[in-house]
Amino acid sequence: MGGIRNDLRGWWERGRALTAANPLVVDVGIALFVQCAMTMPFVVPRAAGLPPATWGAYGLSTLTVLPLVWRRRAPVAVLFAVLATNALYGLAVDGPGQPLPYTGLVVVYTIAALSPVRKRLVTGGVLLVAVPVGVWLNTRSARELAFSVFVFAAAYVLGRLTDARQRANRVEAEQAAARERARIAREMHDILSHAVSLMIVQAEAGPVAVRAAPERAEAAFDAISATGRDAMTQLRRMLGVLREGAEESDGRDTAPRAPQPGLAELPGLLERVRSGGLDVVYGTAGAVRPVPDVIGATVFRVVQEALTNTLRHAGARSVTVRLTYGDSELDVRVTDDGRGPQPGPGGGGHGLIGVRERAAVHGGTAVVGAGPDGRGFEVRVRIPVPAAAEVAR
């Protein structure tokens, strides 16, 4: 059953893609569907005394449908063409009538859904004249007039609802694109800012180490190389995910991408920072347990940004990274012994703003400011985490 549902969904998506790329196909299909509906009175048995179903009448009814093929490109012109051909059918031919004004309803819906206000006002004025005149030429009954007004009003309202839905979809797509751009910018900032800051520290220490301890200089250059390679790996990983979406849209298979760094990569990050001369102390508290990959990636980026901030601004000699596992949350603290918050407006640069955004994504909180007893600088993030059984499931 699931396979059938997936097949149907696949056909539906392919059909939507085809119609989106070829709107003329949709318009021709609608015209053929309307033509089928208008053919019914000509093929069903007719009672004695009713107008005959002649080929001439059928050909003229087809002429009233043909303009629908151009309904998107010139909807108002199509409206006038439909009204003219319907009037010609009513005046020149004594043929079968139709239970609904199919062609007029399709054009009114199209104008309501796709046209600007000016064209919609023109359409309303035309219908205020055309509908009563059409009823007068046909039955001259108040019942038909009320019914005609109702169905045309319903077509117009449906068109406006379609336009509102499309606008909402476009706004949602634009907002999703903006969120994705912000996420990519945040990821690239974290990766590049950390790598460049660490390489600068290592490069500045290199000349001194060359003179005093050549073996330390060699380690510093190795650390610069390792940091650069790690940054390139993470950038390729992130850009690979972006390319994956483009390739999938072309229908090509792609190899699975490596996941975002998580808690398992945290020791390596801390070791690279240690190689820059900063004393890093790492510890955990509480019952250590698995966390979802997305939370692990967030913790990694939070610690990475906090350490970058320490390297660039704090002038610290040591930093402590501590993860505390609670029953329902994970508490992350990065505390250094540097100069602490600087006076002045603002709450940190883009990196610390990104820390708050990352925490907020998971319903958590982030606090940045002075460390314990007002010394140094501390980044503290609390993120709700599910129980271990839920993560495993």
Side-chain angles (χ1 to χ4, degrees), residues 31-42 98-99 102:
L32 291 175
F33 183 78
V34 172
Q35 180 62 36
C36 290
M38 296 187 67
T39 301
M40 294 300 175
F42 289 88
Q98 297 291 336
Y102 300 108

Side-chain angles (χ1 to χ4, degrees), residues 38-108:
M38 296 187 67
T39 301
M40 294 300 175
F42 289 88
V43 296
V44 298
R46 302 183 59 76
L50 292 178
T54 63
W55 282 109
Y58 183 72
L60 192 54
S61 71
T62 302
L63 189 61
T64 66
V65 176
L66 187 60
L68 294 182
V69 175
W70 295 274
R71 69 186 185 96
R72 294 176 193 264
R73 282 169 282 184
V76 175
V78 170
L79 174 65
F80 282 105
V82 166
L83 292 176
T85 52
N86 275 292
L88 180 63
Y89 183 90
L91 294 173
V93 178
D94 188 19
Q98 297 291 336
L100 283 172
Y102 300 108
T103 52
L105 294 177
V106 171
V107 178
V108 169

Side-chain angles (χ1 to χ4, degrees), residues 237-296:
R237 180 185 299 162
M238 184 177 65
L239 296 177
V241 171
L242 297 179
R243 285 195 298 269
E244 183 181 56
E247 292 169 351
E248 285 179 349
S249 66
D250 293 339
R252 292 179 288 176
D253 292 334
T254 56
R257 308 294 177 182
Q260 286 281 358
L263 295 182
E265 287 74 27
L266 205 53
L269 170 67
L270 302 182
E271 188 59 38
R272 289 192 296 272
V273 175
R274 287 192 188 98
S275 66
L278 186 64
D279 183 20
V280 181
V281 178
Y282 175 59
T284 62
V288 178
R289 65 179 188 274
V291 299
D293 292 341
V294 65
I295 293 180

Side-chain angles (χ1 to χ4, degrees), residues 282-312:
Y282 175 59
T284 62
V288 178
R289 65 179 188 274
V291 299
D293 292 341
V294 65
I295 293 180
T298 294
V299 172
F300 180 92
R301 294 301 185 199
V302 165
V303 173
Q304 183 183 59
E305 178 54 37
L307 293 174
T308 301
N309 192 61
T310 298
L311 289 169
R312 295 177 61 185

Side-chain angles (χ1 to χ4, degrees), residues 2-220:
I4 296 176
R5 190 182 301 110
N6 290 334
D7 291 341
L8 292 175
R9 186 182 297 111
W11 280 101
W12 172 256
E13 293 298 333
R14 284 191 287 272
R16 287 183 61 184
L18 175 64
T19 56
N22 302 278
L24 183 60
V25 173
V26 178
D27 297 337
V28 172
I30 290 175
L32 291 175
F33 183 78
V34 172
Q35 180 62 36
C36 290
M38 296 187 67
T39 301
M40 294 300 175
F42 289 88
V43 296
V44 298
R46 302 183 59 76
L50 292 178
T54 63
W55 282 109
Y58 183 72
L60 192 54
S61 71
T62 302
L63 189 61
T64 66
V65 176
L66 187 60
L68 294 182
V69 175
W70 295 274
R71 69 186 185 96
R72 294 176 193 264
R73 282 169 282 184
V76 175
V78 170
L79 174 65
F80 282 105
V82 166
L83 292 176
T85 52
N86 275 292
L88 180 63
Y89 183 90
L91 294 173
V93 178
D94 188 19
Q98 297 291 336
L100 283 172
Y102 300 108
T103 52
L105 294 177
V106 171
V107 178
V108 169
Y109 166 82
T110 302
I111 293 174
L114 304 178
S115 298
V117 176
R118 181 176 58 84
K119 291 185 178 181
R120 297 203 302 268
L121 291 176
V122 171
T123 300
V126 171
L127 292 178
L128 285 176
V129 176
V131 170
V133 170
V135 172
W136 184 81
L137 291 175
N138 190 22
T139 63
R140 304 184 183 182
S141 68
R143 180 179 179 180
E144 183 184 358
L145 178 61
F147 178 75
S148 299
V149 170
F150 172 78
V151 294
F152 277 110
Y156 181 86
V157 170
L158 183 60
R160 296 308 301 149
L161 291 175
T162 300
D163 178 64
R165 184 188 63 190
Q166 292 173 344
R167 288 176 182 270
N169 290 341
R170 285 194 294 269
V171 170
E172 183 179 356
E174 291 170 359
Q175 291 175 343
R179 290 193 296 269
E180 184 64 10
R181 287 194 297 269
R183 186 191 69 81
I184 294 172
R186 188 168 60 238
E187 293 287 340
M188 294 194 68
H189 169 274
D190 289 352
I191 294 171
L192 295 177
S193 177
H194 175 77
V196 171
S197 298
L198 193 54
M199 286 190 289
I200 289 174
V201 171
Q202 297 281 9
E204 289 176 345
V208 178
V210 166
R211 294 189 294 269
E215 67 280 358
R216 287 183 55 195
E218 183 178 351

